[in-house]
Amino acid sequence: MDNVPTLLNKVKQCALAEEIPTLSDLLTIGDVPLADLVRAAHEVTAAKASSVFNFCAIVNAKSGRCTENCHWCAQSRHFEGQCGIYPLLEDEKILQAAFAAQKNGATRFSLVTSGRKLSRREVREAAEIVKKLKSETTLEICISAGLLTKEEFDLLAQAGVCRCHCNLEASENFFPKVCTSHTTADKLKTIHAARMAGLEVCSGGIIGMGESRKDRIELALTLRKLEIPSIPINILEPIKGTPLEHMEPISEEEIIRTVALFRLVNPKAYLRFAGGRRRLSDTATQLALKAGINSAIAGDMLTTKGSAIEKDKFLVQKCGYLLEPLT
């Protein structure tokens, strides 16, 4: 272990040069003292990532009765998790959510829908909603609507969508343990289709589902190879009625280590705190911010509560980030 500090510096220098570290090196440095790992990741964050913190917001635009069997999700019809059930929301309700998000400091707003994918009719309806959002707000509009095709993304891009959200959720090896109704290959096909339509891509995962640290590093490496610019990091919140309801919570230290390793792998990306972070102490949140978190989803998530935006802003500025100006 005498050479581990030297190896940590090697990985840091690799990140600063925007080169991709090896899985072996990342596994070896994963157990260095937390302060040393955070310090290395912070140096990379300061040198390579944006210092302007980005807040986005989401609306649960279609909820429940999902055909997919994602083990973490209350919206799957295969399990007994409790959630609202409704079709695609009418445009006025979505506009109200967007106005509130913009007022609270969000600059991005995403329509998130349940199900394997929106139908062709729903894609057309979503496109009309996006046109209204673009005409009545200054928000950048994102879409998380399942396994859409290039033609469907084309229609949404023409309406004003700028980014597709499609989480890989976990490493390719681990994903079949928590979902069998679709595959990592299906998600990669969706990401390719979105890019072919000219959209940016937001893709990350959920930690704390029983995966190993190696699985988390493999996910980080896959996202780097895909050159994903925005990487949501969700922390599992076990939901009653889902297969993961009794999962032991991942520790705060392991969450911070994960953030640091993701930053060392993805030096320029926005690492975006998403679901589950409300259970973190202020101390752990600040360490995660120092280690590389430079964006977040503000407000409530899909079927769980989020964090208060004003508290988020306070901690973000306390850690040295600038707030994104509203246009």
Side-chain angles (χ1 to χ4, degrees):
M1 296 293 288
D2 291 343
N3 65 339
V4 172
T6 301
L7 185 58
L8 177 59
N9 185 63
K10 173 190 170 184
V11 171
K12 181 184 74 174
Q13 294 303 324
C14 187
L16 290 170
E18 298 179 26
E19 298 170 353
I20 302 178
T22 67
L23 174 61
S24 175
D25 285 351
L26 291 161
L27 283 169
T28 301
I29 67 167
D31 282 320
V32 302
L34 183 61
D36 294 343
L37 187 62
V38 169
R39 188 179 304 112
H42 178 67
E43 289 181 36
V44 174
T45 302
K48 293 295 178 178
S50 175
S51 62
V52 179
F53 202 92
N54 174 253
F55 283 107
C56 67
I58 63 176
V59 61
N60 196 4
K62 177 187 176 185
S63 181
R65 293 188 180 138
C66 181
T67 59
E68 306 306 286
N69 65 0
C70 306
H71 289 189
W72 61 86
C73 187
Q75 299 199 59
S76 173
R77 72 182 186 188
H78 297 276
F79 314 129
E80 297 179 356
Q82 299 297 310
C83 70
I85 298 174
Y86 50 82
L88 193 64
L89 289 174
E90 57 190 50
D91 51 10
E92 283 306 314
K93 288 185 177 180
I94 293 177
L95 280 167
Q96 289 173 12
F99 292 149
Q102 184 168 279
K103 182 179 179 181
N104 285 332
T107 55
R108 288 185 174 273
F109 184 73
S110 183
L111 279 64
V112 183
T113 62
S114 69
R116 184 177 179 87
K117 68 184 293 294
L118 290 181
S119 68
R120 292 294 180 94
R121 174 185 57 80
E122 289 171 326
V123 170
R124 292 193 295 270
E125 291 175 356
E128 292 305 311
I129 292 170
V130 170
K131 290 177 183 177
K132 291 186 178 180
L133 288 169
K134 292 300 294 181
S135 68
E136 298 190 36
T137 76
T138 60
L139 294 163
E140 293 182 286
I141 307 301
C142 310
I143 191 87
S144 181
L147 307 177
L148 299 180
T149 65
K150 177 186 177 297
E151 291 71 27
E152 290 163 337
F153 281 127
D154 281 336
L155 182 61
L156 291 165
Q158 291 164 12
V161 170
C162 67
R163 180 177 284 180
C164 157
H165 170 261
C166 182
N167 272 352
L168 293 184
E169 307 297 8
S171 71
E172 188 169 9
N173 288 329
F174 185 79
F175 186 73
K177 297 179 182 178
V178 290
C179 180
T180 59
S181 53
H182 59 274
T183 65
T184 297
D186 292 326
K187 290 175 174 288
L188 293 174
K189 183 179 179 181
T190 301
I191 288 171
H192 178 68
R195 283 182 160 161
M196 289 294 290
L199 297 180
E200 296 178 351
V201 174
C202 177
S203 182
I206 305 170
I207 63 174
M209 296 192 291
E211 77 286 347
S212 66
R213 184 182 291 166
K214 180 182 178 183
D215 288 314
R216 293 191 284 275
I217 293 172
E218 287 178 344
L219 174 60
L221 287 167
T222 298
L223 294 167
R224 173 62 189 282
K225 290 169 185 175
L226 290 170
E227 298 182 343
I228 300 297
S230 173
I231 300 176
I233 297 177
N234 294 271
I235 304 161
L236 178 71
E237 285 197 71
I239 298 173
K240 186 176 180 180
T242 66
L244 298 181
E245 66 173 306
H246 300 300
M247 182 61 63
E248 186 73 22
I250 187 172
S251 70
E252 287 192 337
E253 179 174 331
E254 191 61 31
I255 292 167
I256 297 162
R257 287 184 182 277
T258 298
V259 171
L261 290 166
F262 265 66
R263 175 55 73 202
L264 291 169
V265 176
N266 296 276
K268 297 177 70 176
Y270 280 96
L271 298 186
R272 190 176 300 276
F273 249 170
R277 63 192 172 93
R278 65 177 178 148
R279 75 172 176 86
L280 294 180
S281 65
D282 286 357
T283 299
T285 298
Q286 289 177 75
L287 280 172
L289 288 164
K290 185 175 180 181
I293 293 294
N294 63 339
S295 54
I297 298 177
D300 291 346
M301 307 301 154
L302 297 181
T303 57
T304 59
K305 288 289 185 182
S307 299
I309 182 66
E310 292 307 319
K311 182 179 180 181
D312 282 344
K313 290 178 180 177
F314 172 78
L315 291 176
V316 162
Q317 290 178 296
K318 185 176 181 180
C319 290
Y321 289 101
L322 303 173
L323 295 180
E324 197 166 31
L326 299 179
T327 56

